[in-house]
């Protein structure tokens, strides 16, 4: 066998092995769903667990506010929040979940513990949704409570739908991030 034929055979073998490996890896099941990560579009709220879906189906749905915030550019959200309008107090929202790009997600079903409440100040310019969050800290308890706010530019509670409007997250823990929100009707 000539030297040229030997090199060609080696390259062809390497190509076949890498193609086979690519097909094998592409055909393996995605296990990220078991870790809580989903492959939903970045602007879609992540799906709820089956228990949450049945509980939500039993109760009449309230209007929701979905907000997502970015580190640099509008690509994949760094952090996303989903809120439900509190029917008892129209100036308040109950937090349903917060999800981070690294796969961390906190769901609040409202049964084991009350959902975090966020108050809406429509008199502020821009409208401001504010609350307090518990975050990791380097102290004896390992946590700290800090203020957090979402400024809603162009927020119109009378016009729910598919329209996105500008928002910004004001938080030391999550950083000050630009983003957008959408109000959906019940």
């Amino acid at each position: 066998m000539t030297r040229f034929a030997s090199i060609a055979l080696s390259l062809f073998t390497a190509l076949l092995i890498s193609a086979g490996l690519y097909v094998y890896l592409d055909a393996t099941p995605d296990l990220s769903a078991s870790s809580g990560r989903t492959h939903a579009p970045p602007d879609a709220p992540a799906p709820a667990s089956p228990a949450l879906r049945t509980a939500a189906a039993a109760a009449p749905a309230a209007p929701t506010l979905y907000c997502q915030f970015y580190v640099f550019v509008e690509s994949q959200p760094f952090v996303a929040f989903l809120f439900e309008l509190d029917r008892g107090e129209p100036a308040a929202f109950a937090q349903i979940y917060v999800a981070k790009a690294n796969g961390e997600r906190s769901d609040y079903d409202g049964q084991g513990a009350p959902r975090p409440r966020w108050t809406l100040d429509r008199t502020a310019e821009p409208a401001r949704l504010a609350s307090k969050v518990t975050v990791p800290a380097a102290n004896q308890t390992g946590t700290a409570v800090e203020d957090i706010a979402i400024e809603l530019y162009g927020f119109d509670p009378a016009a729910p739908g598919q329209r996105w409007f500008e928002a910004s997250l004001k938080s030391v823990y999550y950083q000050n991030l630009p983003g957008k929100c959408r109000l959906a009707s019940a």
Side-chain angles (χ1 to χ4, degrees):
M1 189 184 254
T2 67
R3 184 175 177 191
F4 179 72
S6 171
I7 291 172
L9 182 62
S10 298
L11 288 174
F12 182 71
T13 305
L15 180 65
L16 283 177
I17 291 172
S18 64
L21 184 59
Y22 175 77
V23 169
Y24 170 76
L25 290 177
D26 194 41
T28 56
D30 183 13
L31 301 178
S32 64
S34 64
S35 66
R37 294 186 181 146
T38 61
H39 295 285
D43 62 344
S49 67
L52 291 177
R53 280 189 224 130
T54 56
T64 59
L65 179 67
Y66 175 72
C67 297
Q68 56 190 23
F69 301 95
Y70 309 95
V71 175
F72 293 113
V73 294
E74 194 172 306
S75 57
Q76 181 175 358
F78 173 72
V79 65
F81 296 87
L82 181 63
F83 305 96
E84 183 177 56
L85 180 66
D86 186 341
R87 291 184 181 270
E89 187 179 335
F93 283 83
Q95 186 176 341
I96 296 172
Y97 75 75
V98 59
K100 292 176 66 175
N102 65 4
E104 290 178 37
R105 181 177 163 131
S106 297
D107 289 292
Y108 306 101
D109 63 4
Q111 296 170 1
R115 290 180 170 162
R117 292 180 48 80
W118 291 61
T119 56
L120 176 64
D121 181 4
R122 289 189 211 167
T123 61
E125 187 56 43
R128 188 175 179 92
L129 195 59
S131 186
K132 295 197 180 287
V133 291
T134 303
V135 297
N139 60 21
Q140 289 181 338
T141 62
T143 61
V145 176
E146 74 174 37
D147 293 325
I148 186 170
I150 298 174
E151 292 181 343
L152 305 167
Y153 302 91
F155 175 69
D156 183 6
Q162 296 300 316
R163 184 183 67 87
W164 288 95
F165 54 89
E166 186 180 347
S168 64
L169 181 64
K170 305 297 182 189
S171 168
V172 173
Y173 176 70
Y174 290 113
Q175 306 167 4
N176 294 331
L177 301 172
K180 61 185 180 179
C181 294
R182 177 176 57 197
L183 184 66
S185 60

